[in-house]
Amino acid sequence: MSETPVYPPSPEFVSKANVQGLEAYRELYRRAGERPEEFWGELAEKELFWFQKWSHVFEWNPPFAKWFVGGKTNVCYNCVDRHLSTPRKNKAAIIWEGEPGDQRVITYQELHRLVSRFSSVLKSRGYQAGDRAIIYMPMIPEAAIAMLACARLGITHSVVFGGFSAEALKARILDLGAVIVITADGGWRRGKEVKLKSVVDEALPECPSVRDVIVCRRTGSETGMAAGRDHWWHELDENASEDCPAEPLDSEHPLYVLYTSGTTGQPKGILHTTGGYLLQATMTVKWVFDLHEEDTFWCTADIGWVTGHSYIVYGPLSAGATTLMYEGAPDTPAFDRWWRIVEKYRVNIFYTSPTAIRALLRQGEKWPAAHDLSSLRLLGSVGEPINPAAWEWYYRVIGKEKCPIVDTWWQTETGAIMIAPMPGAVALKPGSGTLPLPGVDADVVDFAGNPVGADQEGFLVIRRPWPAMLRTIWGDGQRYKDQYWNRLPGLYFTGDAARRDADGYIWVLGRVDDVMNVSGHRLSTMEVESALVRHPAVAEAAVVGKPDEITGQAICAFVTLKSGNADHATLAKELRQWVAHEIGGFARPQEIRFSDALPKTRSGKIMRRLLREIVTTHSVSGDVTTLEDMGVVTRLAAQHDEE
Ligand code: PRX
């Protein structure tokens, strides 16, 4: 460990930071730990607007938590309305650039007008608090406007990433019992139209709960409109009232459900509520991204993932920031598109994933070198562990050795960043999320829940509930208990392995369950397996994540066929396409390997561990005593050598 380089913050950065110096961080952490109710209560009062104050800060009926009990607030009001009576009213709330190069700058006042109009549209069609909406949109301002309008009325939204297929969309609509879908004709990605409305059309015939589809015109391509069901956003907007006040909602009102992969084939709807979620999203923007009034903040995530929720929309807008949204791909028209945007809008804070960094690193330094990146003062990373080479490149080539890199560990379930450096306080070690944030009681434990020693590997757990934590899995409280709280009784189980070094720094090592991380996208092996076995030719499938230089992990599927005499090359192509159709393009396996059998235990359980070893090391060295037929493994390992 002694060889790990350490990067303390520069005195200049510290002098302007929101939290200055290690002692200031420690003091916050200590207070949050010793008197959590006082700590969070004071922040909630200072940082958020409440229609009605809570009666008590926290209620814990394990494993169900409530924060700011009895309080009434509104997320949209906090993100928009409250800024109008401040000098922020004419500040850019959203700066947007479309892939073709079109651009919009929306001030807080204008955002208020747009959100109010769309809320009126929803309200006039009879939608109200408690209803559920699906948002299936490209990265255009209307996606954020739709989220905020739902939040304004208390309509619980679920944003479905535009890369998901009709099947995946349908499953989410049904699970949520959504009554309305908000979408667009399409969006632009790598110069091509990604059609969205046609995917909605494919999904809806089997979704009887949906009454209305509102379609935003983005690409202008031909779109069939079902009479009575489908409406153009711009037509409804024509007569919309601009007077649509934010509803005072209970602090625990369901704000959104976001589906993510668990360890089964069925995605889980992670439920986030109102007051606690917003407070922690807001605080982490100030603490971790060290937000200053004049900053332009750019998080490159898609709005369909939790990062887009907390760090494109809710966190930055609540904190009164200027948040930048870009519609398209980083390599369109060329590999300098992101750096061009940084230069053009003088971006100060830039937040992306290690996968993106590695992909851009591979293209060489000439792309960033062609642009003036001197506006940048802070860089962030999220989604997977960042390897030293990517960290070093990010630090040197993008940050010019003057921007701290905040490596932020968190999850869809945690709602907000949990482990990350406060950049004016905590020295960086490349590859470590460093120290937990105030109020986050993180630990690394063994199978029995006992803390492991310094530099020992264990499970990353959180000992105490935090304001932005998930409240349950939508419609499945038992699964919520089993997945997160019953594995190590009384502790929140993150599903990640980690170690803590002698300085208390946490190093997240990756998942310990059957969840893969492909380009920072979470996918369960079972989800891909279930998709594969739905194909008529497939008898059995086992899926593992295989190390990949760019995407972190790539999907490798082992497949046995119902009849052995297929043309493997053609079928492999067909199966990859099949998975893309069943789940979405990002889930397309990189590799399909055919086999006459899969390695199983005597009780019939597929031994994925062995398959993982085969794709990683091309051989098997671990314990195989429970394996039923060793020959299968030998044949699978040999298969690779022939390729
Ligand atoms: O394994 C961890 C990894 O991503 C998982 C959460 O995925 P998801 O819910 O899709 O949210 C991603 C964006 C918050 C975690 O369990 N992960 C996320 N951030 C990091 C990370 N692994 C290492 N370092 C990180 N900074």
Side-chain angles (χ1 to χ4, degrees):
M1 292 309 303
S2 55
E3 286 137 41
T4 309
V6 179
Y7 295 77
S10 71
E12 212 220 318
F13 195 97
V14 176
S15 70
K16 296 187 190 137
N18 291 342
V19 179
Q20 303 182 348
L22 192 59
E23 269 323 301
Y25 155 78
R26 288 207 192 288
E27 175 59 17
L28 283 171
Y29 193 84
R30 190 187 57 72
R31 279 196 53 224
E34 285 173 7
R35 283 197 286 280
E37 303 206 11
E38 189 182 297
F39 179 81
W40 290 114
E42 278 175 22
L43 284 178
E45 201 152 4
K46 181 164 154 260
E47 301 283 342
L48 299 183
F49 166 85
W50 297 85
F51 291 102
Q52 181 182 301
K53 202 182 156 180
W54 55 91
S55 58
H56 49 288
V57 170
F58 178 55
E59 202 175 282
W60 182 225
N61 179 13
F64 297 100
K66 287 185 178 168
W67 285 86
F68 310 111
V69 183
K72 291 210 183 308
T73 184
N74 184 290
V75 168
C76 179
Y77 188 95
N78 276 285
C79 289
V80 184
D81 304 50
R82 68 161 157 160
H83 303 308
L84 303 187
S85 55
T86 75
R88 289 180 185 142
K89 67 177 189 292
N90 291 319
K91 176 179 177 175
I94 299 177
I95 295 179
W96 172 81
E97 183 162 299
E99 195 183 77
D102 40 349
Q103 48 186 299
R104 283 163 76 184
V105 176
I106 301 174
T107 63
Y108 273 96
Q109 243 169 186
E110 178 66 0
L111 184 62
H112 179 257
R113 208 174 67 80
L114 295 169
V115 169
S116 298
R117 293 179 73 95
F118 193 61
S119 305
S120 297
V121 165
L122 296 174
K123 197 169 176 174
S124 66
R125 302 199 72 77
Y127 297 105
Q128 58 183 1
D131 285 338
R132 272 94 61 199
I134 291 279
I135 298 176
Y136 185 63
M137 294 191 87
M139 283 286 288
I140 56 177
E142 281 74 12
I145 292 167
M147 291 163 73
L148 290 163
C150 287
R152 194 170 189 78
L153 299 176
I155 299 169
T156 303
H157 65 65
S158 184
V159 183
V160 177
F161 170 55
F164 275 113
S165 68
E167 280 301 314
L169 178 62
K170 185 175 84 184
R172 285 156 178 76
I173 294 173
L174 292 174
D175 188 73
L176 193 67
V179 285
I180 176 168
V181 175
I182 305 164
T183 186
D185 45 5
W188 296 111
R189 182 119 190 133
R190 300 215 160 83
K192 292 205 186 89
E193 184 186 9
V194 177
K195 288 196 181 275
L196 294 173
K197 173 59 166 48
S198 54
V199 179
V200 173
D201 288 338
E202 200 183 325
L204 281 193
E206 290 167 57
C207 302
S209 59
V210 175
R211 301 202 298 270
D212 285 308
V213 178
I214 300 185
V215 189
C216 180
R217 181 173 275 160
R218 164 65 185 138
T219 57
S221 68
E222 200 58 40
T223 300
M225 298 290 279
R229 187 196 74 181
D230 300 352
H231 320 272
W232 286 108
W233 179 311
H234 61 271
E235 287 177 5
L236 297 177
D237 183 68
E238 270 169 28
N239 302 315
S241 161
E242 282 176 22
D243 182 19
C244 188
E247 294 284 333
L249 298 168
D250 193 275
S251 178
E252 282 300 327
H253 186 79
L255 174 65
Y256 68 81
V257 173
L258 190 57
Y259 286 86
T260 188
S261 296
T263 47
T264 71
Q266 178 70 24
K268 328 181 256 200
I270 303 300
L271 174 67
H272 284 292
T273 59
T274 298
Y277 170 78
L278 189 64
L279 181 61
Q280 224 169 343
T282 310
M283 290 323 300
T284 44
V285 166
K286 297 187 178 187
W287 285 335
V288 179
F289 296 111
D290 189 44
L291 183 78
H292 289 31
E293 195 61 53
E294 64 278 15
D295 283 331
T296 299
F297 179 88
W298 183 16
C299 163
T300 68
D302 191 280
I303 223 155
W305 309 112
V306 74
T307 312
H309 286 58
S310 299
Y311 300 108
I312 295 176
V313 181
Y314 293 125
L317 293 177
S318 170
T322 296
T323 180
L324 193 141
M325 273 174 90
Y326 166 59
E327 177 187 32
D331 57 354
T332 306
F335 282 101
D336 63 346
R337 184 61 184 270
W338 279 4
W339 317 128
R340 198 175 278 278
I341 293 175
V342 167
E343 178 174 16
K344 182 168 167 187
Y345 300 100
R346 312 222 35 87
V347 171
N348 308 102
I349 304 169
F350 178 76
Y351 188 32
T352 196
S353 67
T355 288
I357 297 164
R358 287 191 294 266
L360 292 168
L361 175 159
R362 189 179 250 200
Q363 301 305 319
E365 294 183 21
K366 69 173 187 199
W367 300 104
H371 296 278
D372 175 5
L373 305 181
S374 60
S375 59
L376 291 173
R377 62 175 197 86
L378 182 69
L379 303 173
S381 169
V382 62
E384 48 190 310
I386 181 164
N387 51 309
W391 196 99
E392 195 273 332
W393 189 84
Y394 199 26
Y395 187 72
R396 183 174 55 80
V397 179
I398 306 305
K400 315 292 181 209
E401 300 184 17
K402 72 176 175 58
C403 304
I405 297 177
V406 290
D407 180 353
T408 63
W409 178 89
W410 60 298
Q411 311 177 296
T412 305
E413 291 87 342
T414 68
I417 297 169
M418 302 288 277
I419 301 171
M422 289 188 173
V426 176
L428 311 173
K429 294 186 190 181
S432 169
T434 73
L435 304 173
L437 292 174
V440 175
D441 195 353
D443 206 349
V444 181
V445 303
D446 62 17
F447 280 100
N450 301 315
V452 299
D455 291 330
Q456 303 291 306
E457 287 182 20
F459 301 114
L460 179 64
V461 297
I462 315 288
R463 291 194 171 276
R464 257 207 301 219
W466 60 99
M469 75 178 220
L470 78 163
R471 296 301 191 259
T472 188
I473 292 176
W474 183 259
D476 199 346
Q478 191 56 46
R479 190 172 175 198
Y480 164 71
K481 283 187 194 169
D482 293 345
Q483 293 253 296
Y484 301 110
W485 296 95
N486 286 353
R487 302 223 175 159
L488 295 165
L491 303 175
Y492 170 83
F493 182 75
T494 65
D496 280 334
R499 68 185 155 78
R500 205 199 295 246
D501 69 19
D503 298 327
Y505 277 46
I506 293 175
W507 299 73
V508 175
L509 305 167
R511 303 286 307 191
V512 292
D513 50 14
D514 289 322
V515 170
M516 298 175 288
N517 193 331
V518 181
S519 304
H521 297 158
R522 209 165 126 172
L523 268 168
S524 91
T525 52
M526 304 271 243
E527 225 171 318
V528 182
E529 286 164 8
S530 319
L532 282 166
V533 297
R534 284 198 291 271
H535 188 280
V538 174
E540 275 187 314
V543 164
V544 292
K546 155 182 163 187
D548 184 276
E549 217 179 290
I550 301 285
T551 59
Q553 284 188 311
I555 300 174
C556 181
F558 292 83
V559 166
T560 65
L561 298 175
K562 285 183 183 156
S563 106
N565 47 14
D567 166 6
H568 283 181
T570 314
L571 190 58
K573 219 166 137 192
E574 189 179 319
L575 290 177
R576 294 176 67 239
Q577 188 47 36
W578 173 267
V579 174
H581 180 265
E582 293 289 297
I583 302 174
F586 64 95
R588 186 180 282 122
Q590 187 189 69
E591 198 184 334
I592 306 266
R593 294 195 195 177
F594 296 99
S595 168
D596 53 349
L598 296 174
K600 286 190 188 156
T601 59
R602 285 178 194 98
S603 60
K605 211 165 161 263
I606 295 175
M607 293 180 78
R608 278 200 202 78
R609 175 175 64 76
L610 297 184
L611 295 173
R612 262 196 299 269
E613 253 187 89
I614 289 171
V615 298
T616 312
T617 65
H618 312 311
S619 63
V620 171
S621 56
D623 176 19
V624 289
T625 47
T626 53
L627 184 70
E628 192 198 35
D629 173 11
M630 186 60 197
V632 176
V633 175
T634 322
R635 286 194 296 279
L636 281 170
Q639 201 183 37
H640 180 270
D641 297 336
E642 287 162 16
E643 282 162 6

